[in-house]
Amino acid sequence: AELAAKQSADLILYTGDFAPNGSDERCWATFFVGERALLADVPLYPTLGNHELFRDPSAAHFRRFFALPDDGRDQRYYHFRFGPAEFIVLDGNAPTAAQTAWLSATLDAADRDRVAHVFVLEHQPPLSLGDHCGAALDQAAWMTLFETHHVRAVFAGHDHAYERMERRGVRYFVSGGGGAP
């Protein structure tokens, strides 16, 4: 966190698993104390990971600690624009028809507005060679939308290995942290 703070970042994009146990206040405190140097001056845009839901299925702690844009506290997914980019943050824990419709509408709006760069963040990667093997079956409709709307890249966590790949013009990255020690 201290090294990252020295990079003068404009924002932090986090792909989930802030705490190993979403209901444990001490785990959350450990995260925020450890990231203090970075979070003091840089806004963090979080993605809901599966560990935030562990023993806290409503993600009450996650919702309490983060003020998300675009009704994100209610939906657990949201979007925002930053400079020439649209960032779409999805809840890969629960790919629903409602979330897919919202994603489609959000991508349509970005197309209409001629947004130069569209990036997606989610916790569970659709494509991965890691232990979890990706969530392509659950996210097939999302992947089609990524491809038809020219999403530049999809960033995910969950698997504890760094990966990058490309499929039909969309770049997919797994950050590698995934909550590992």
Side-chain angles (χ1 to χ4, degrees):
E2 290 175 14
L3 289 174
K6 292 178 184 177
Q7 298 301 312
S8 301
D10 292 322
L11 62 123
I12 303 164
L13 306 170
Y14 202 93
T15 58
D17 284 355
F18 293 87
N21 177 344
S23 69
D24 189 331
E25 295 280 337
R26 290 170 297 164
C27 292
W28 285 99
T30 298
F31 170 78
F32 285 111
V33 167
E35 302 297 318
R36 181 182 331 194
L38 185 57
L39 298 177
D41 298 312
V42 184
L44 178 137
Y45 292 88
T47 305
L48 181 67
N50 60 303
H51 284 273
E52 285 78 60
L53 298 173
F54 183 66
R55 296 191 178 153
D56 186 6
S58 68
H61 287 76
F62 179 84
R63 294 171 198 259
R64 189 176 90 219
F65 291 127
F66 300 111
L68 306 176
D70 187 38
D71 296 324
R73 284 192 185 199
D74 297 327
Q75 304 179 129
R76 298 186 345 188
Y77 49 90
Y78 60 95
H79 72 103
F80 65 97
R81 292 211 179 142
F82 191 87
E86 175 88 13
F87 292 91
I88 300 170
V89 182
L90 298 173
D91 178 7
N93 297 287
T96 63
Q99 187 174 186
T100 302
W102 173 88
L103 172 61
S104 181
T106 302
L107 290 168
D108 285 342
D111 287 348
R112 278 193 309 278
D113 293 348
R114 299 177 189 242
V115 174
H117 311 285
V118 178
F119 301 103
V120 172
L121 286 89
E122 58 180 308
H123 183 63
Q124 292 82 354
L127 302 173
S128 174
L129 298 172
D131 290 345
H132 299 293
C133 299
L137 293 176
D138 291 336
Q139 298 180 19
W142 292 0
M143 292 173 67
T144 299
L145 289 169
F146 301 158
E147 294 162 8
T148 59
H149 288 277
H150 311 293
V151 168
R152 275 201 180 261
V154 176
F155 297 95
H158 201 49
D159 279 321
H160 299 191
Y162 171 76
E163 297 181 71
R164 70 174 194 219
M165 59 205 80
E166 187 172 331
R167 179 181 183 262
R168 297 184 183 147
V170 180
R171 292 171 186 91
Y172 293 88
F173 295 88
V174 178
S175 65

